[in-house]
Amino acid sequence: MTLTLILTRHAKSSWNDPTLDDFDRSLSGRGRKSAPLIGQWLIERGHVPEVVVASGARRTVETWEGMASAMPEATVLEHNTALFHAGAGTILEVLREQAAARVMLIGHNPGFADFANRIVVQPPRHDRFNDYPTAATAVIEFERESWAQVRWGSGRILDFVVPRELK
């Protein structure tokens, strides 16, 4: 069985209101432009998630909302606060709990960059993969029967993009 992970770091967030808790920060204007571009890119390449798991932070939810305009309405959004500033190990635990064959995770750095580098057999030849900038999105394929069987160094990169490449 083939499992597909779409790993997206939230789009660019705003720091305009210093009174807001980090969890409640929204997207910046640039982030609001980037999210739909990533959603359209995924649709054009046939990478449509069945379920989206976001950290629940406002900027991850807004990232999905921007992307969702291009997605089928059947895609389910779940919030999992364990992804909020999670390390690579926690991200893997959240992924292993999934049942759908095509899963999107939306979260934060530095955990997403570390996770992306550790989960793939070989990283793509892309100068931004290691630092995983805002709205960076990787599509990673696994030949496994379930997410519970996914191990470090077992994924194959199908696609990787950053928003600047789509403008």
Side-chain angles (χ1 to χ4, degrees):
M1 179 174 174
T2 301
L3 303 174
T4 304
L5 170 63
I6 303 167
L7 188 70
T8 301
R9 182 178 172 202
H10 65 79
K12 184 73 174 163
S13 61
S14 173
W15 290 91
N16 287 343
D17 187 348
T19 65
L20 282 180
D21 182 72
D22 185 41
F23 194 82
D24 297 322
R25 286 191 298 115
S26 64
L27 294 183
S28 68
R30 189 172 105 198
R32 291 183 202 290
K33 292 176 185 170
S34 297
L37 292 173
I38 295 294
Q40 188 60 44
W41 176 83
L42 287 168
I43 288 293
E44 288 169 1
R45 294 185 172 301
H47 303 309
V48 179
E50 295 170 67
V51 66
V52 175
V53 184
S55 76
R58 184 173 174 187
R59 59 194 179 273
T60 63
V61 174
E62 288 180 356
T63 297
W64 170 245
E65 289 171 349
M67 296 168 72
S69 60
M71 298 285 175
E73 290 182 25
T75 302
V76 176
L77 173 63
E78 298 176 3
H79 298 211
N80 188 327
T81 56
L83 288 176
F84 185 64
H85 293 301
T90 300
I91 297 165
L92 183 58
E93 288 174 18
V94 169
L95 180 61
R96 286 178 175 164
E97 295 170 356
Q98 302 309 307
R102 292 182 318 276
V103 174
M104 173 183 267
L105 299 180
I106 306 175
H108 313 265
N109 259 357
F112 267 46
D114 184 32
F115 176 86
N117 278 283
R118 292 176 61 187
I119 202 69
V120 298
V121 174
Q122 182 172 338
R125 292 183 181 193
H126 194 288
D127 62 346
R128 299 305 308 268
F129 186 76
N130 289 333
D131 65 327
Y132 229 82
T134 52
T137 299
V139 181
I140 307 166
E141 187 175 81
F142 301 86
E143 291 300 326
R144 298 289 190 269
E145 291 302 312
S146 74
W147 290 109
Q149 298 172 336
V150 170
R151 303 288 181 258
W152 296 123
S154 64
R156 183 176 66 88
I157 288 279
L158 297 180
D159 270 319
F160 179 74
V161 73
V162 297
R164 282 187 186 172
E165 297 167 350
L166 302 177
K167 294 181 180 181

